[in-house]
Amino acid sequence: MESELNVLGEALEECGTDPITGFFRDGCCSTGPEDLGSHTVCAVMTTEFLTHQAGVGNDLSTPRPEFNFAGLRPGDRWCVVAARWLQAYHAGAAAPVVLASTHARSLDTIPLSVLREHAVDVPPDLSSLS
C-alpha cells in the first residue's frame, strides 16, 4: 500500500493526538472511500472558527461523551471536513492549516493557493511556497 500524501506531495504527517483526531482516530488526516466527508484538512482551532462552525450546525466545542469526544478548544489540531473549512474561509473565519498534515485529497475541494494563505507550517524547501 502506498503511503498517503499531503498537499505538498510529501508523506502525510500526523495532525494531532491530544485530542486524537482523524476520520480513523489515528492522529492523521488519512482518508479512504468510507470518509464521505473528506476529513482531510489539519486545522488549528481558533475561537472564530469554532464559533462559525457552531453557527452553521457543526458544533465542535461541546463534549459528546457518547462518542468519546471531549470537545475542541482554541489551539487544538483537528482534521476537519474540507468543504466545512472552505465554508469558513468564504465567511472570513478560516482556521490556520498545517500543510504537512493536510491530505492531498483536500485539493479536490480547496485550491492549494488558498490553503497556503492560512498555512502555519513552513516546508523545508521554501521554493514550494512561490
Side-chain angles (χ1 to χ4, degrees):
M1 181 173 129
E2 288 184 35
S3 64
E4 295 186 86
L5 299 178
N6 63 32
V7 295
L8 302 173
E10 301 166 348
L12 185 66
E13 294 182 13
E14 183 179 274
C15 179
T17 57
D18 186 22
I20 188 127
T21 191
F23 180 79
F24 299 107
R25 292 299 189 263
D26 60 0
C28 291
C29 297
S30 302
T31 191
E34 58 280 345
D35 179 13
L36 301 178
S38 189
H39 296 76
T40 53
V41 177
C42 181
V44 181
M45 297 298 100
T46 63
T47 300
E48 185 177 35
F49 180 81
L50 291 169
T51 299
H52 174 268
Q53 289 298 287
V56 297
N58 186 30
D59 183 358
L60 298 172
S61 300
T62 302
R64 301 288 306 265
E66 67 273 26
F67 298 117
N68 197 24
F69 179 69
L72 299 176
R73 300 177 307 234
D76 288 341
R77 288 182 175 199
W78 196 251
C79 295
V80 300
V81 171
R84 291 283 191 174
W85 187 92
L86 187 60
Q87 179 184 37
Y89 169 79
H90 287 303
V97 174
V98 181
L99 296 176
S101 303
T102 296
H103 196 284
R105 183 172 168 199
S106 65
L107 298 175
D108 293 345
T109 305
I110 308 166
L112 181 57
S113 60
V114 171
L115 291 170
R116 284 181 174 160
E117 288 175 30
H118 297 279
V120 291
D121 57 339
V122 179
D125 178 4
L126 297 179
S127 68
S128 69
L129 295 176
S130 57

